[in-house]
C-alpha cells in the first residue's frame, strides 16, 4: 500500500532501485540534483535535466511532459552523494501557466521496479512558485529515506538551483529552458480537444465542418459491495451520472477540492471578509444524507490527521536542520567559540524558530477551518452519529432502515483538545467491543478507584447497547446480558425498567452456560444454512435478529468450556449477526495466560474514561478516545428506550 505523505514527513525506502512517477495537469520539466551531506550541489555534473538526462544512477525525461517516469539506482550514485532532490519547473514562454497555483496540484510517487507504490506526495498550497523541490531521497545511517519537501521558488529554476549552492545556476537554467524549447518545437501537436455531444457520446472537436467519429462516453464508476466511502472520493449515483449538457458530474466534496470547479454553485453563504469559508454539513451531491455526513466526518478525521502530521513533521525538520547547522559550527575548532560562532548559533536558532512559527500558523489556520466545519456538522448529525446531549434525540423516531455507522465516542489530538471528531464504526459491527474496566494510564483513570471504573464501564456498555437498539428498525436487534454476580444491576436498570431487555441478565454458572449454548447453536445453524444455501430450512423458533451479548465481570462464572464458547462467538459471531461486548479487566483473567490473547486482540478496546490508546499507524498519532455517555441527570436514555419498547408493542412483536 502506497504511503501518502504530507509536507515534511519522511518514509523509509525498502529498496535502492526505484522509479519516480510524476503526474501534472500541464507539461512541466522534471530534473534531479545530487547533493552532499549538507545538500550542496558541487557542479553542473551533479544535475540531471532535459539537456543532460543521464547521470550515474539517474535518468530523467528529455523534454517537458504532463507525466514523467524517472529511473533511480541509489547504489550506482557517485561517491559522496547523500541527497537526491527531484525538481519540477514550469515551461517558460510556452503558453501554459506561469505559476503552479494556476494548475492542478502535481503529484510524485516513488515505486519499485514492479510498479508497487512505496510513498507518494501531492504538492498542494503552491501559488506564485514556478519551480519546486518536490521530494528528497536522503541517506541516514546507511539507510535511504524519502522526505516530502514541497519547497517552491517564485524565481524559477535559477533561484532553486542557486539555493542548492550551484555557482552556475543562471547559466544552467538558461540551458535547460533552451533544451525544453527545442524539444517542444520538435514535438507533435496535441490532438484536438474532445467534447460531449447532446447524446452524451464523446466526439472530437474539429475546425472544419466534417463530423468526427463517435466514441463511447467513459463509464461511471460503480460502488462495490462493502465499499467504504472516503473523503474526497467521487461516488456514483443511480439518479444520474451525466450532466444535463453531457459530460461527467463532479461529486467531489466542495470543501475538499484542490481547484475550483468551472461553474461553482454557492454551497454556503459567503463568509465575512477575512474569515474562512463556511462549510455546509452534508453538502455533496449524489449520496444520501446519511452517506454524505459519514463521508464528511471521515474527511474531517483525515484532514485533522494530515494537518497534525504536517505540523509535527515540520517541527522535527526544523529541529533536525538546526542540529545540523549547530554541528557544522562545532565541528571546526576555529569557529567553535567567539562572536562568529555565537552569531551562527543565533542564526540557526532563529531559523528554527521561524520554521516552527510558520508551521504553527499553517496548523492554526487548518484547525480554525476544521473547528468551523465541526460546529456546522455536529448539530446536523442523525441519532446514530449524534452525542447523547444533541437535540436530535428530542424528536427521536424508531428508524425504518439500518444506518451506515454508529458513534462510539469522540477522538481528539493534543494540538487542539476541544476539536472533537466523532468515532464512527460501520454497521453491522464487524468485530466485538471490549470496554476495559481496568486501570488505564490516563490522568482521569488514575484518580478513580477500581469500583468506580467498573461502574463507569458498565454504564458505557449500557449507553452503547441503548444506541444500538435505537438505531435499528423494530425487532431487528436484541440484547442479552451475562452478569454472573449481579454486580451491574444498578447500571443495567435503564434496560430492565424500560423493558428493552426482554429477559433478565443471566446469573451464575448455569446462566452463563445456558446463554452461551443458545447463541453458539444459533451461529452454527445459520452458518450451515448459509453455506448450504438452505436458509429457508432454519427452525421457525430461531431468532434471526442481530444479537448483542453483553458479558459483565468476565471471567467470573466462566469455566473452560464457557471460555471456549465465548472465543468462538467472538470469532464467528459477527458474520452471522451475533456480536460481543465485553466489560472486563484483563488483569482478572491473568490465570488463563496467553490462551485469551486472541480474544482480546479480536475486540476493539475502548475505555470508560478519556484515554490516548487508539494508535493511528498511518501517521503515527495516538488519538485520545472519549466515550459517548449520557449527561448526568438526563432522562434521554429512558425516553429513547421507552420509544423503542412502544414501537415493539405497536407492531405487535
Amino acid at each position: 500500500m502506497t504511503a501518502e505523505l504530507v509536507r515534511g514527513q519522511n518514509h523509509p525506502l525498502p529498496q535502492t532501485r526505484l522509479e519516480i512517477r510524476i503526474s501534472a495537469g500541464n507539461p512541466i520539466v522534471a530534473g534531479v540534483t545530487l547533493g552532499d551531506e549538507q545538500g550542496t550541489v558541487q557542479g553542473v555534473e551533479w544535475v540531471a535535466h532535459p539537456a543532460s538526462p543521464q547521470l550515474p544512477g539517474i535518468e530523467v525525461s528529455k523534454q517537458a511532459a504532463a507525466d514523467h517516469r524517472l529511473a533511480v539506482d541509489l547504489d550506482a550514485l557517485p561517491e559522496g552523494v547523500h541527497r537526491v532532490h527531484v525538481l519540477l519547473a514550469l515551461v517558460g514562454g510556452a503558453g501554459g501557466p506561469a505559476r503552479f497555483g494556476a494548475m492542478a496540484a502535481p503529484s510524485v510517487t516513488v515505486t519499485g521496479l514492479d510498479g508497487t507504490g512505496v510513498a507518494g506526495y501531492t504538492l498542494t498550497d503552491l501559488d506564485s512558485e514556478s519551480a519546486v523541490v518536490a521530494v528528497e531521497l536522503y541517506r541516514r545511517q546507511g539507510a535511504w529515506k524519502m522526505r516530502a519537501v514541497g519547497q517552491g521558488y517564485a524565481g524559477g529554476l535559477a533561484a532553486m538551483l542557486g539555493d542548492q549552492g550551484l555557482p552556475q545556476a543562471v547559466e544552467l537554467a538558461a540551458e535547460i529552458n533552451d533544451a525544453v524549447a527545442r524539444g517542444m518545437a520538435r514535438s507533435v501537436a496535441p490532438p484536438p480537444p474532445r467534447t460531449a455531444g447532446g447524446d452524451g457520446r464523446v466526439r472530437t472537436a474539429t475546425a472544419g465542418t466534417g463530423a468526427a467519429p463517435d466514441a463511447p462516453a467513459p463509464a461511471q464508476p460503480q460502488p462495490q459491495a462493502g465499499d467504504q466511502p472516503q473523503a474526497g472520493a467521487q461516488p456514483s449515483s443511480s439518479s444520474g451520472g451525466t450532466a444535463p449538457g453531457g459530460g461527467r458530474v463532479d461529486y467531489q466534496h466542495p470543501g475538499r477540492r484542490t481547484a475550483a470547479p468551472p461553474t461553482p454553485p454557492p454551497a454556503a453563504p459567503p463568509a465575512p471578509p477575512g474569515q474562512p469559508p463556511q462549510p455546509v454539513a452534508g453538502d455533496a451531491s449524489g449520496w444520501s444524507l446519511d452517506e454524505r455526513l459519514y463521508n464528511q466526518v471521515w474527511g474531517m478525521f483525515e484532514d485533522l490527521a494530515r494537518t497534525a502530521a504536517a505540523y509535527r513533521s515540520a517541527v522535527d525538520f526544523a529541529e533536525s536542520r538546526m542540529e545540523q547547522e549547530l554541528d557544522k559550527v562545532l565541528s571546526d575548532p576555529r569557529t567553535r567559540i567567539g562572536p562568529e560562532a555565537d552569531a551562527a548559533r543565533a542564526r540557526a536558532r532563529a531559523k528554527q524558530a521561524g520554521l516552527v512559527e510558520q508551521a504553527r500558523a499553517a496548523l492554526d489556520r487548518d484547525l480554525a477551518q476544521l473547528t468551523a466545519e465541526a460546529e456546522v456538522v455536529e448539530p446536523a448529525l442523525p441519532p446514530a452519529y449524534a452525542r447523547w446531549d444533541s437535540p436530535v434525540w428530542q424528536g427521536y423516531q424508531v428508524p425504518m432502515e439500518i444506518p451506515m455507522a454508529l458513534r462510539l465516542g469522540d477522538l481528539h489530538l493534543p494540538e487542539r483538545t476541544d476539536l472533537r471528531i466523532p468515532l464512527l464504526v460501520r454497521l453491522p459491527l464487524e468485530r466485538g467491543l471490549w470496554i476495559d474496566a481496568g486501570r488505564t494510564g490516563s490522568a482521569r483513570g488514575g484518580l478513580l478507584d477500581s469500583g468506580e471504573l467498573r461502574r463507569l464501564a458498565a454504564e458505557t456498555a449500557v449507553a452503547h447497547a441503548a444506541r444500538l437498539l435505537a438505531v435499528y428498525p423494530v425487532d431487528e436487534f436484541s440484547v442479552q446480558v451475562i452478569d454472573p454476580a449481579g454486580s451491574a444491576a444498578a447500571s443495567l436498570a435503564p434496560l430492565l425498567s424500560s423493558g428493552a431487555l426482554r429477559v433478565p441478565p443471566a446469573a451464575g454458572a448455569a446462566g452463563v452456560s445456558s446463554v452461551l449454548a443458545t447463541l453458539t447453536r444459533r451461529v452454527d445453524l445459520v452458518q450451515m444454512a448459509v453455506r448450504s444455501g438452505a436458509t429457508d430450512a432454519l427452525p421457525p423458533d430461531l431468532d434471526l435478529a442481530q444479537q448483542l451479548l453483553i458479558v459483565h465481570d468476565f471471567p467470573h462464572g466462566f469455566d473452560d468450556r464457557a471460555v471456549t464458547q465465548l472465543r468462538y462467538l467472538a470469532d464467528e459471531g459477527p458474520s452471522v449477526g451475533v456480536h460481543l461486548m465485553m466489560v472486563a479487566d484483563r488483569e482478572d483473567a491473568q490465570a488463563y495466560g496467553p490462551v485469551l490473547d486472541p480474544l482480546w486482540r479480536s475486540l476493539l478496546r475502548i475505555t470508560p474514561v478519556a484515554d490516548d490508546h487508539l494508535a493511528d499507524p498511518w501517521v503515527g498519532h495516538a488519538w485520545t478516545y472519549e466515550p459517548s455517555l449520557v449527561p448526568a441527570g438526563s432522562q434521554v436514555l429512558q425516553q429513547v428506550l421507552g420509544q423503542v419498547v412502544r414501537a415493539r408493542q405497536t407492531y405487535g412483536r
Side-chain angles (χ1 to χ4, degrees):
M1 180 178 178
T2 306
E4 186 65 28
L5 305 184
V6 295
R7 185 174 183 178
Q9 190 176 6
N10 56 40
H11 190 278
L13 296 175
Q15 57 203 64
T16 56
R17 298 188 66 188
L18 305 163
E19 185 176 77
I20 300 177
R21 301 181 178 184
I22 300 167
S23 179
N26 298 84
I28 61 172
V29 180
V32 169
T33 60
L34 308 180
D36 56 18
E37 291 185 357
Q38 284 73 41
T40 302
V41 180
Q42 299 296 329
V44 294
E45 67 276 5
W46 276 23
V47 183
H49 53 84
S52 178
Q54 291 184 339
L55 294 178
I58 301 291
E59 184 174 358
V60 304
S61 306
K62 295 183 179 180
Q63 62 183 27
D67 296 288
H68 295 266
R69 292 195 177 190
L70 316 183
V72 177
D73 185 353
L74 298 173
D75 289 335
L77 294 176
E79 186 177 356
V81 172
H82 290 261
R83 299 175 184 271
V84 178
H85 292 106
V86 178
L87 317 178
L88 307 179
L90 296 177
V91 181
R99 57 188 183 89
F100 277 106
M103 58 180 284
S107 63
V108 179
T109 303
V110 175
T111 73
L113 295 183
D114 59 353
T116 303
V118 177
Y121 172 47
T122 301
L123 288 82
T124 57
D125 297 330
L126 295 177
D127 188 11
S128 61
E129 299 89 344
S130 59
V132 60
V133 178
V135 299
E136 174 189 52
L137 312 183
Y138 65 98
R139 178 162 45 192
R140 177 167 295 174
Q141 297 178 349
W144 285 92
K145 295 184 178 182
M146 167 188 172
R147 176 184 287 123
V149 180
Q151 177 64 54
Y153 296 84
L157 268 173
M160 179 169 57
L161 294 171
D163 192 48
Q164 296 187 24
L166 183 65
Q168 308 92 336
V170 176
E171 294 81 356
L172 183 57
E175 181 182 350
I176 294 173
N177 288 330
D178 289 343
V180 171
R182 289 195 301 269
M184 295 187 69
R186 292 192 302 266
S187 64
V188 179
R194 296 163 67 85
T195 60
D199 57 358
R201 297 169 69 84
V202 178
R203 296 181 172 87
T204 302
T206 60
T209 58
D214 287 349
Q220 296 288 335
Q222 298 298 324
Q224 302 298 317
D227 281 354
Q228 176 171 315
Q230 301 295 326
Q234 296 186 16
S236 61
S237 170
S238 59
S239 61
T242 305
R248 293 282 298 277
V249 176
D250 185 4
Y251 291 127
Q252 189 177 11
H253 190 289
R256 316 211 186 279
R257 298 187 189 278
T258 57
T263 54
Q275 298 296 320
Q278 298 299 311
V280 176
D283 57 351
S285 307
W287 286 8
S288 68
L289 181 61
D290 198 24
E291 291 170 325
R292 289 181 243 162
L293 289 170
Y294 176 85
N295 184 49
Q296 190 163 3
V297 170
W298 192 232
M300 291 165 58
F301 170 81
E302 289 184 336
D303 287 349
L304 180 56
R306 286 193 183 100
T307 191
Y311 170 71
R312 296 179 186 183
S313 295
V315 171
D316 291 343
F317 174 74
E319 293 286 345
S320 175
R321 184 170 179 174
M322 181 183 69
E323 290 174 2
Q324 290 178 4
E325 294 180 357
L326 293 178
D327 289 343
K328 185 177 180 181
V329 173
L330 297 175
S331 63
D332 189 350
R334 295 171 299 178
T335 60
R336 191 173 299 170
I337 58 176
E340 185 177 347
D342 294 340
R345 294 188 187 95
R347 286 195 299 270
R349 294 189 178 97
K351 189 179 297 183
Q352 181 265 347
L355 290 173
V356 172
E357 183 179 357
Q358 182 180 359
R360 186 69 211 191
L363 174 69
D364 290 341
R365 181 191 66 238
D366 292 342
L367 292 179
Q369 174 63 20
L370 281 171
T371 301
E373 187 173 3
E375 291 174 352
V376 175
V377 170
E378 187 67 51
L381 295 178
Y385 303 172
R387 292 196 300 251
W388 282 110
D389 59 357
S390 171
V392 72
W393 290 106
Q394 304 305 318
Y396 166 75
Q397 298 286 334
V398 176
M400 301 297 292
E401 296 180 351
I402 301 173
M404 284 185 62
L406 183 86
R407 186 175 191 155
L408 290 182
D410 295 332
L411 299 173
H412 67 266
L413 291 172
E415 281 79 7
R416 184 71 178 266
T417 56
D418 61 333
L419 176 55
R420 308 297 176 90
I421 307 296
L423 172 59
L424 304 180
V425 295
R426 294 294 295 265
L427 292 179
L429 296 172
E430 297 177 355
R431 59 190 297 198
L433 303 176
W434 166 29
I435 303 175
D436 192 352
R439 191 170 298 279
T440 66
S442 66
R444 171 101 189 275
L447 299 175
L448 302 175
D449 59 27
S450 176
E452 183 67 9
L453 281 172
R454 292 176 186 271
R455 182 187 66 80
L456 288 175
E459 291 181 356
T460 302
V462 170
H464 291 323
R467 186 185 290 268
L468 282 163
L469 286 167
V471 302
Y472 270 82
V474 176
D475 271 1
E476 290 192 20
F477 196 91
S478 63
V479 177
Q480 298 188 56
V481 178
I482 291 178
D483 186 20
S487 56
S491 300
L492 294 170
L495 293 175
L496 287 167
S497 61
S498 64
L501 202 62
R502 296 180 184 273
V503 295
V512 171
S513 177
S514 174
V515 171
L516 292 177
T518 301
L519 290 177
T520 301
R521 172 178 175 268
R522 181 194 183 281
V523 171
D524 288 339
L525 289 175
V526 175
Q527 279 188 338
M528 287 188 293
V530 170
R531 290 169 183 167
S532 61
T535 54
D536 54 345
L538 287 168
D541 62 335
L542 191 68
D543 186 2
L544 296 180
Q546 298 275 319
Q547 305 278 332
L548 175 68
L549 174 61
I550 301 177
V551 178
H552 184 263
D553 207 16
F554 176 81
H556 185 79
F558 281 72
D559 55 19
D560 290 345
R561 176 179 173 80
V563 169
T564 301
Q565 290 176 319
L566 190 68
R567 289 182 55 187
Y568 175 74
L569 292 178
D571 292 337
E572 304 294 334
S575 63
V576 290
V578 175
H579 311 285
L580 186 62
M581 184 184 292
M582 298 274 291
V583 183
D585 181 357
R586 190 170 182 174
E587 297 294 325
D588 294 342
Q590 276 187 331
Y592 288 94
V595 173
L596 290 181
D597 286 352
L599 173 64
W600 303 118
R601 286 196 297 266
S602 69
L603 305 174
L604 173 62
R605 175 178 175 255
I606 56 179
T607 54
V609 294
D611 186 68
D612 58 349
H613 68 279
L614 290 179
D616 185 348
W618 181 50
V619 290
H621 296 331
W623 290 86
T624 297
Y625 165 79
E626 192 163 337
S628 179
L629 299 176
V630 179
S634 173
Q635 297 297 311
V636 63
L637 204 63
Q638 290 80 355
Q639 295 171 4
V640 170
L641 291 175
Q643 190 86 336
V644 170
V645 173
R646 285 192 293 273
R648 288 178 184 171
Q649 297 169 350
T650 300
Y651 286 93
R653 301 182 184 181

